[in-house]
Amino acid sequence: MITPDIAVRSAVESFDTAIAEHRIQLLEAAYQDLAVLPKATLAEHSPELGPHLAGRLGEMPQWHAAVYAVFVGALVEWNADAVACARPVLDGLRESLERAVEFAGLWQERHGDEVELPDPEGMPSPEQQKAFGPDYGDVWHAPYFGWLTVHHWEKAAVAVLADPRVRARLDGPDRLGDRDALVELTQRLEPHIGDLQCAQRALLLLDDEPLLVLDRASGRAFRMRMGGIADNYQLQTLLAGVLIGGGHLTGAAPSAEAFALSCDAPIDMDRLDALPQAVECFNFAEPSGRWIWSATTPSRIPVVDGVRRLVLDPPVFQHGYPAVRFLPRVPGRLVLEAVLEPAEAAPYFAGVRELMSWQEASRLAADAY
């Protein structure tokens, strides 16, 4: 009788042999043997299986590495050590992004705007490969497969970036990945490939970040600390829950369910249409008066004297939105550390300018501000 443990060992042996002997069919068969195993078995073996597979991603052909990377991401979500898996995953993401940017440029040079780029979610196409012509192998192959694998690597990267230990090592000498370079590459590629917000928001997450909130209407200031907040809709909900729900500001606080889902309550991914709604209670702005849109991330809040500084105004428009975490596996945290009454808060308001008009804010947004 073949037990689950024996099946795992057999699949890993086949995987290692395929890598050592460069046997593509065996590599694909090993993947199928692993993929059909029960989730409970994979979760049990994920602590050793995840790092083992991740450590050999760089030895595979581009397409197969990306497919295995998604599998590694699933193992991380179950029980594999994200730190042990992160470096090869983030290296793969960067290479894929670089190749995809190159592919978009090559395509533009050949076709201009007349021919639509291939579907980045599609499978490798022999017809498309043939259409690239005789220089396919030397010029097009690596960029083409980079283009086709970006979203695979994005999924794997989001899985490891959900761990704050990985995010903490995106900076410094022993970093697991280059945060700024990865964000810049996603921004360069998005006009061609479409939405890469999952990767961007995971990379831009702030952890244990001091925040000074200035409420213009009351003249109060609030020293806070935030972490794991993926976008400013989530920050809206948490701020309203802490400040309005805590009795520090007037207004309608979000429901207890909405607040909990914006923190760490489980999200039923099969019933997203049943999520509670929240309403923007504030207009976010920089001290300069420029708007900070809710669709952006907390990293957009400027740093003033070493601390991010956010100005609250009454909402110009009240938009409803689903109260949820954009990155479900990342818990959001917002802690109120101190309340500064108007006299104590006054120095921080000294350089705060009037909120700019909606028309000017919209113009800046249209200019990709």
Side-chain angles (χ1 to χ4, degrees):
M1 176 180 177
I2 299 178
T3 66
D5 289 352
I6 293 174
V8 170
R9 287 198 298 272
S10 175
V12 171
E13 289 173 2
S14 295
F15 170 82
D16 289 338
T17 300
I19 295 290
E21 299 179 4
H22 305 287
R23 294 168 59 184
I24 297 298
Q25 289 186 334
L26 185 58
L27 186 62
E28 294 173 349
Y31 178 87
Q32 292 301 322
D33 290 343
L34 288 169
V36 299
L37 290 171
K39 179 180 175 180
T41 299
L42 291 171
E44 180 184 350
H45 289 270
S46 60
E48 64 274 8
L49 187 56
H52 184 81
L53 299 180
R56 311 207 71 172
L57 291 174
E59 302 175 60
M60 302 182 210
Q62 284 173 278
W63 178 259
H64 297 78
V67 172
Y68 267 96
V70 175
F71 191 74
V72 169
L75 294 172
V76 167
E77 291 184 357
W78 293 330
N79 207 20
D81 183 5
V83 174
C85 299
R87 193 184 304 278
V89 167
L90 295 176
D91 285 349
L93 174 64
R94 179 166 182 169
E95 181 178 355
S96 177
L97 290 168
E98 290 172 341
R99 293 296 193 179
V101 168
E102 182 183 359
F103 178 78
L106 288 168
W107 190 271
Q108 178 70 26
E109 289 176 9
R110 174 171 289 191
H111 299 290
D113 297 324
E114 297 178 3
V115 181
E116 187 175 345
L117 282 154
D119 179 4
E121 301 274 11
M123 295 284 291
S125 164
E127 293 78 15
Q128 180 63 75
Q129 292 169 339
K130 183 177 180 180
F132 287 129
D135 58 355
Y136 168 71
D138 295 330
V139 177
W140 288 91
H141 176 82
Y144 176 53
F145 275 83
W147 174 265
L148 292 177
T149 58
V150 163
H151 290 299
H152 289 71
W153 287 107
E154 181 182 30
K155 292 174 185 175
V158 169
V160 298
L161 289 167
D163 191 314
R165 298 173 302 153
V166 173
R167 302 196 298 271
R169 291 181 59 184
L170 292 180
D171 307 294
D174 189 32
R175 61 190 178 189
L176 297 172
D178 188 329
R179 186 198 313 266
D180 292 341
L182 289 168
V183 171
E184 190 266 341
L185 282 165
T186 63
Q187 291 171 340
R188 287 175 60 192
L189 186 58
E190 262 195 333
H192 309 287
I193 207 169
D195 183 4
L196 292 172
Q197 286 191 55
C198 289
Q200 287 178 2
R201 294 187 183 190
L203 288 162
L204 292 171
L205 284 169
L206 303 172
D207 292 291
D208 198 31
E209 184 79 5
L211 175 67
L212 180 63
V213 178
L214 308 178
D215 180 60
R216 197 191 305 264
S218 69
R220 288 176 168 174
F222 306 91
R223 295 191 187 278
M224 312 188 82
R225 194 167 293 269
M226 62 179 172
I229 301 174
D231 60 34
N232 286 325
Y233 284 114
Q234 186 181 358
L235 181 57
Q236 281 270 357
T237 308
L238 294 176
L239 268 175
V242 173
L243 298 182
I244 298 176
H248 303 288
L249 297 176
T250 60
S255 68
E257 183 186 12
F259 186 81
L261 287 169
S262 298
C263 293
D264 57 4
I267 299 170
D268 187 345
M269 301 304 291
D270 295 325
R271 299 185 67 246
L272 294 179
D273 57 342
L275 289 170
Q277 292 289 302
V279 176
E280 289 178 322
C281 295
F282 311 109
N283 209 96
F284 287 179
E286 299 180 8
S288 67
R290 288 180 167 179
W291 290 30
I292 299 175
W293 302 92
S294 293
T296 61
T297 63
S299 63
R300 173 69 179 72
I301 301 169
V303 176
V304 180
D305 296 331
V307 177
R308 294 188 187 273
R309 193 171 297 187
L310 176 66
V311 179
L312 304 183
D313 283 289
V316 177
F317 306 102
Q318 283 199 311
H319 296 291
Y321 57 92
V324 71
R325 301 186 301 281
F326 184 85
L327 300 173
R329 293 183 58 242
V330 181
R333 178 174 176 269
L334 183 67
V335 177
L336 177 61
E337 297 183 334
V339 178
L340 282 61
E341 295 299 334
E344 190 179 1
Y348 298 106
F349 282 91
V352 174
R353 301 181 63 180
E354 181 181 353
L355 182 68
M356 68 170 45
S357 69
W358 172 81
Q359 291 82 1
E360 180 65 8
S362 299
R363 184 190 66 79
L364 287 173
D367 290 340
Y369 165 73

